[in-house]
Amino acid sequence: SPISNLTNLAYLLEKIPIENNNLKEILDDSRTSIRVLNETIDDLTEILIIRDNPSVEQEKIAFSDIFENILQQTSYLIEKEKPRIVSNFEDAPSIFYNRVYLESIFLNLLTNALKFRSPSRRPEITITTIDRKDHVLLEFQDNGIGLDIRRYKDRIFGLYQRFHQHTDSKGLGLYLVKSQVEALGGSIEAKSKAGQGMTILIRFKKE
């Protein structure tokens, strides 16, 4: 509610002509701060919903269906970057899981792979599922810029952790993925070297 009030006040101030350049600059900075604060509250609210929801609806879901939906949602980005994407869900075609969580996981992993692509080569993304004895393994691999996993191992899934100077990155995606995976009894791991891409391994607990 207080943030909504600040947002409304900022909107009203935009309608008032301001001749003092210093005051105009201060108000512009204030509007930016209010917008960032509002986005932060939205992010934290989403995280709390994941953590505090004791019973998440689950159903049998085909990985291919979810992935096709995400490809459609990100068609503009795929058309722009023109990645080579290979998916293989034959060994473990489906999972008993929450549909919204799984869509969010795929969306964050795919957009991250394109966001942190290497400028020197065409993006390549490989997604594979493997049926293991007590879990289903999802392997999501890209050939992007990667990072020094030994250096950032304790921070890679942290909240608002940024490792590259991308202005459109908030450092939230992998934290959300980790929260959604662990909320339903799974685990996540990252393997990477600087300049050599990244592999995300997600172990989904079987039904």
Side-chain angles (χ1 to χ4, degrees):
S1 179
I3 295 175
S4 295
N5 290 337
L6 285 172
T7 302
N8 291 333
L9 287 173
Y11 174 77
L12 291 174
L13 286 171
E14 286 182 353
K15 306 299 180 182
I16 301 174
I18 298 173
E19 297 180 358
N20 187 297
N21 289 332
N22 289 334
L23 179 58
K24 187 176 184 300
E25 185 176 344
I26 291 171
L27 291 174
D28 287 343
D29 289 343
S30 297
R31 278 192 290 269
T32 300
S33 296
I34 292 169
R35 176 182 58 78
V36 172
L37 179 61
N38 192 48
E39 291 176 355
T40 302
I41 293 298
D42 287 344
D43 293 342
L44 295 176
T45 300
E46 184 174 355
I47 292 165
L48 287 173
I49 289 172
I50 294 170
R51 287 185 172 181
D52 295 342
N53 193 346
S55 57
V56 179
E57 181 180 348
Q58 299 179 62
E59 59 184 301
K60 187 176 182 180
I61 310 170
F63 283 109
S64 58
D65 290 346
I66 296 295
F67 192 56
E68 284 301 320
N69 288 340
I70 296 306
L71 289 178
Q72 292 178 15
Q73 290 181 37
T74 57
S75 58
Y76 68 96
L77 191 56
I78 291 173
E79 179 62 28
K80 177 185 175 184
E81 305 300 343
K82 295 180 171 50
R84 179 175 179 268
I85 301 176
V86 177
S87 60
N88 183 353
F89 304 119
E90 291 183 6
D91 192 58
S94 62
I95 188 72
F96 194 76
Y97 212 69
N98 178 267
R99 181 173 295 273
V100 174
Y101 283 11
L102 194 57
E103 286 185 348
S104 176
I105 289 167
F106 270 116
L107 179 62
N108 277 298
L109 293 180
L110 180 60
T111 53
N112 264 11
L114 296 176
K115 189 182 300 179
F116 300 110
R117 66 198 177 280
S118 170
S120 62
R121 53 184 176 263
R122 180 187 178 188
E124 293 187 0
I125 300 169
T126 304
I127 307 101
T128 308
T129 53
I130 303 169
D131 189 355
R132 294 285 171 83
K133 182 178 180 180
D134 59 348
H135 66 272
V136 171
L137 177 66
L138 170 69
E139 184 176 290
F140 197 105
Q141 185 176 16
D142 67 60
N143 68 338
I145 55 178
L147 54 81
D148 185 348
I149 199 70
R150 291 177 298 178
R151 180 180 178 184
Y152 298 116
K153 183 177 181 180
D154 296 333
R155 294 172 48 200
I156 187 168
F157 296 110
L159 180 60
Y160 295 130
Q161 295 295 319
R162 298 175 61 188
F163 310 101
H164 305 290
Q165 296 305 311
H166 282 67
T167 56
D168 60 344
S169 173
K170 295 192 295 182
L172 180 67
L174 286 180
Y175 182 86
L176 278 178
V177 171
K178 183 176 186 290
S179 298
Q180 290 163 331
V181 168
E182 293 183 345
L184 294 179
S187 64
I188 186 169
E189 176 187 359
K191 295 182 178 181
S192 181
K193 290 183 179 179
Q196 298 184 29
M198 178 177 288
T199 299
I200 299 294
L201 302 171
I202 296 177
R203 296 170 182 84
F204 295 105
K205 184 180 178 181
K206 284 189 175 180
E207 181 182 359

